Amino acid sequence: MTGRVAAVNLGVVTEAEWAGDASGRSGIDKRPVDGPVLVRVDGVVGDFIGERAHHGGPDQAVYAYAEEDAAWWSAELGRDVRPGGFGENLSTYAVDVTGAVIGEQWLVGSALLQVTKPRTPCTTFAGFWGVPDLIKRFTARALPGAYLRVLREGEVGPGDPVEVVERPAHGVTIGEVFRATSLEPELLPRLLEAEDLPEPIRDKARRRLAARG
C-alpha cells in the first residue's frame, strides 16, 4: 500500500500555564486544513511555533506522526486523538515513520523532505494532553514520530502520496535514535554511522560513549 498524507495540520496560538515559551504561548495545538500548504526550509507556512529555542529550524522544519500510532494512543487513553493532536504537521497513513532511516528522502506533493531525528517529549506535550506521566509513557512506547528537513520547497496537501525516493545504507532508524538516547544506551555507537543525523545528537552520543570509557 502506498503511504500518503492523511492530514496537514497547522498550529494555532495556545496560551496556557504549561506552554514552554516564556510568553506562555505554544503552537502544539495543530489543526487540519483543507488544502495544500507551502513547505519552506524554515518550516510550514502558516504554522505557529512558540518556543523557537527547541522547536522549528531547518532540522525540525516539519514533524510527521503516523495515524496508526495515534490510534494506539486513542485506545490507550480511551479518548479520540485527532489529527494534529501530537503537534504534528503531517499525519501519515501506511508510512513506517518509526522505521524511517535517518537521511531517507520523501517526495510529498511537490516538496522533497529528509528524515532527520525523532521527537523528544516535553512538559508542554504532557500539559496539552493533561496526562502528567505522558513523558514516561511516551518514552516507553518509543513511537516518537519524525522530524524532517526540507531539501526542496513545495506544496503538500491532504491525500498526497509519500514516496521514499532515497534510503541510506546505514539503516539507522528514527526508532533506534530515540531508544539510544533514552532507553537503550548500548545503541549509541550506531548513531555515529548516520551522517545525516543532526550534529548535536551525534556529539551527545560521542560524549556519552567517552564517559562510559
Side-chain angles (χ1 to χ4, degrees):
M1 180 181 295
T2 301
R4 62 178 175 83
V5 176
V8 176
N9 315 295
L10 299 180
V12 299
V13 179
T14 300
E15 298 188 23
E17 61 181 14
W18 43 256
D21 186 7
S23 67
R25 300 191 303 168
S26 171
I28 194 171
D29 184 7
K30 301 197 189 299
R31 302 178 185 181
V33 296
D34 293 331
V37 298
L38 181 61
V39 176
R40 292 178 171 164
V41 172
D42 59 351
V44 182
V45 173
D47 187 35
F48 175 76
I49 298 174
E51 192 182 15
R52 289 190 175 272
H54 301 289
H55 301 285
D59 291 335
Q60 302 179 151
V62 181
Y63 177 48
Y65 201 82
E67 195 173 67
E68 297 87 347
D69 296 339
W72 184 91
W73 280 105
S74 291
E76 174 73 6
L77 298 174
R79 70 191 199 200
D80 182 50
V81 180
R82 57 171 173 73
F86 289 81
E88 79 273 19
N89 301 111
L90 303 182
S91 305
T92 66
Y93 177 73
V95 177
D96 186 3
V97 177
T98 304
V101 173
I102 302 298
E104 80 175 35
Q105 297 178 19
W106 297 358
L107 181 62
V108 188
S110 58
L112 183 63
L113 310 177
Q114 184 179 44
V115 175
T116 59
K117 56 183 266 190
R119 183 248 192 89
T120 301
C122 60
T123 54
T124 296
F125 186 29
F128 176 57
W129 275 23
V131 180
D133 64 345
L134 181 61
I135 294 176
K136 180 179 179 180
R137 293 167 70 175
F138 191 84
T139 300
R141 184 59 180 166
L143 299 173
Y147 280 116
L148 309 162
R149 65 169 62 99
V150 179
L151 299 182
R152 186 181 70 222
E153 298 182 346
E155 290 192 335
V156 175
D160 282 348
V162 178
E163 180 184 357
V164 178
V165 295
E166 184 175 316
R167 178 172 285 149
H170 59 71
V172 179
T173 67
I174 284 289
E176 283 183 283
V177 175
F178 185 80
R179 297 196 311 276
T181 55
S182 59
L183 302 168
E184 302 174 36
E186 63 272 18
L187 294 175
L188 286 170
R190 285 277 288 154
L191 306 194
L192 303 183
E193 301 174 25
E195 295 182 357
D196 292 304
L197 189 65
E199 189 56 32
I201 299 179
R202 287 164 55 85
D203 184 58
K204 181 183 292 186
R206 292 189 194 98
R207 286 188 278 109
R208 288 186 179 180
L209 289 169
R212 291 169 59 188

